[in-house]
Amino acid sequence: MYDKVKFWLDRGLYKEEYSTIVNSLENATISADKKGETWVNGNLGNLKISAQIGGLSVVGSLPKYLYGHNAYNLDLNSAGQAIEKIEDDLHISIGGAHITEIEFGSTFQMQKEVSEYLLRLGEAPRLCRGGFGTSTLYYTGKGKRPARVLAFYDKAKEMGGELAEIPAELRGKNLLRFEMRERGRLGQRLGVPRVTASTLTQRAFYTKMVKRYKEGYFSIAKQNRLKTNAMDGIKTVSQAYDAFVAQLIMQSKQGQAQEFIEDLKRAGVFKDRKDYTRLKNRIARASTGAKFVEADELIKELDDDIINCCAYG
């Protein structure tokens, strides 16, 4: 499930000169600044390599480097194979390379078009919901470069310009990609002393990433539907009201409740800012906690795919 990774290897951890690295790269170029310091830029397959005076940068998708595409998962064993391949191709050891960014994700073959599933994904705690069109949905933290991003998108459309990269058995299928992207202070945020290339091959770390990935998905509110026999459960006016409110919420577009709450904030309606959270939680309970509500069929399908993926990785 590992995907794009950004490594940094300090110069002190390898002895090779630029010329040695240049010979291993495609489209290599050597540049120099006014002080005479040189650096090398080039490619190793799909990986972008930059050898500078202070060290070596490696950026790119590990499954694409190993398989030619990232439509299939890169698990614990194949992560080790990808790292060994980089080392063989560059003729250096990168086990001690510090990881500054990492993407962790999987591609799911769905019954319906990807846009149908994205429409059913609601708000997530401490993350802002947004997207581009109907085929991409992001949940991001604050700042220009948020430390965490949860991304859902139509993988077939994303690879559409490079059809040859899609395995033949997946062409024409509905492919939903869910990625978890982490950057900045990874060791502190992921609960490990330091995240290096060799860390990717450790079972405990991989298990931790799988758990974080699963929890990220299930923290997102999902669109539900009224049970087919909902009317049978209504006995009081209060229950009828709850069922009616739940139905209205489920019929509204995703993000509408959050937009309303943001409007309240801009208007300064509540003196206590905790009241906005209380309102958000009350709306969530009305749409997900009512006894008249059940999970949407497409959400059930995606839930099952996530559970199975995290069980077998």
Side-chain angles (χ1 to χ4, degrees):
M1 294 169 70
Y2 294 120
D3 193 4
K4 184 178 179 180
V5 178
K6 186 173 183 178
F7 300 101
W8 174 259
L9 184 65
D10 288 334
R11 184 64 186 271
L13 297 179
Y14 68 98
K15 300 178 180 179
E16 283 69 14
E17 297 297 329
Y18 290 144
S19 57
T20 303
I21 296 174
V22 170
N23 292 334
S24 302
L25 302 181
E26 306 161 11
N27 307 315
T29 60
I30 301 178
S31 305
D33 60 20
K34 294 181 180 179
K35 296 181 180 180
E37 295 180 350
T38 62
W39 64 92
V40 178
N41 291 313
N43 299 94
L44 191 66
N46 66 292
L47 302 179
K48 295 181 179 180
I49 311 295
S50 178
Q52 307 168 23
I53 191 67
L56 184 75
S57 170
V58 181
V59 182
S61 169
L62 294 182
K64 189 173 182 179
Y65 175 66
L66 190 62
Y67 303 132
H69 60 78
N70 67 346
Y72 295 139
N73 289 348
L74 190 81
D75 60 14
L76 189 64
N77 293 329
S78 48
Q81 295 173 16
I83 291 172
E84 288 179 8
K85 188 174 187 300
I86 294 174
E87 293 180 329
D88 290 342
D89 290 345
L90 284 180
H91 307 293
I92 61 175
S93 174
I94 66 166
H98 179 58
I99 295 179
T100 57
E101 297 181 19
I102 185 170
E103 291 182 3
F104 196 83
S106 186
T107 301
F108 305 98
Q109 185 175 328
M110 314 304 295
Q111 295 181 22
K112 303 291 185 180
E113 292 186 0
V114 171
S115 59
E116 292 294 326
Y117 300 86
L118 303 192
L119 285 172
R120 289 165 167 77
L121 298 176
E123 302 297 328
R126 296 181 296 281
L127 296 175
C128 298
R129 183 183 187 276
F132 302 97
T134 61
S135 61
T136 305
L137 178 62
Y138 289 105
Y139 294 87
T140 63
K142 296 180 180 180
K144 293 182 179 180
R145 284 178 57 80
R148 192 177 197 216
V149 176
L150 301 179
F152 297 82
Y153 58 91
D154 189 322
K155 185 61 180 176
K157 286 187 177 181
E158 188 256 351
M159 298 176 73
E162 302 175 33
L163 188 61
E165 292 187 0
I166 303 179
E169 64 272 21
L170 295 181
R171 294 177 189 173
K173 305 296 184 181
N174 299 309
L175 304 178
L176 189 158
R177 179 80 178 173
F178 169 43
E179 291 177 350
M180 175 180 70
R181 304 171 184 173
E182 306 276 359
R183 65 164 67 97
R185 300 181 180 179
L186 293 184
Q188 177 181 340
R189 295 177 54 247
L190 299 177
V192 295
R194 191 164 180 261
V195 183
T196 65
S198 62
T199 306
L200 300 184
T201 65
Q202 297 173 6
R203 170 63 64 180
F205 181 77
Y206 185 77
T207 300
K208 184 185 292 286
M209 291 294 289
V210 170
K211 180 181 179 183
R212 188 174 179 86
Y213 178 79
K214 181 179 179 180
E215 290 176 345
Y217 169 77
F218 280 102
S219 72
I220 300 170
K222 314 295 192 304
Q223 179 175 298
N224 296 312
R225 67 179 184 182
L226 285 180
K227 294 179 179 178
T228 54
N229 61 343
M231 295 303 175
D232 296 338
I234 297 176
K235 304 299 181 183
T236 67
V237 172
S238 178
Q239 290 173 342
Y241 175 80
D242 289 343
F244 179 66
V245 171
Q247 180 172 282
L248 289 179
I249 292 174
M250 288 182 288
Q251 290 175 346
S252 66
K253 67 177 183 179
Q254 291 293 344
Q256 188 167 341
Q258 185 60 35
E259 290 176 7
F260 176 66
I261 293 173
E262 293 301 323
D263 288 340
L264 294 176
K265 288 181 179 179
R266 285 189 286 270
V269 173
F270 300 130
K271 293 181 180 180
D272 186 348
R273 294 191 63 83
K274 293 180 181 178
D275 285 341
Y276 299 110
T277 301
R278 296 187 184 102
L279 175 59
K280 183 176 181 179
N281 292 338
R282 184 168 181 176
I283 293 173
R285 286 195 300 271
S287 61
T288 62
K291 66 178 182 179
F292 314 105
V293 170
E294 64 183 0
D296 180 271
E297 287 184 2
L298 297 190
I299 287 299
K300 284 183 179 179
E301 179 192 355
L302 184 53
D303 285 353
D304 289 343
D305 284 341
I306 295 291
I307 291 171
N308 291 333
C309 171
C310 292
Y312 303 106

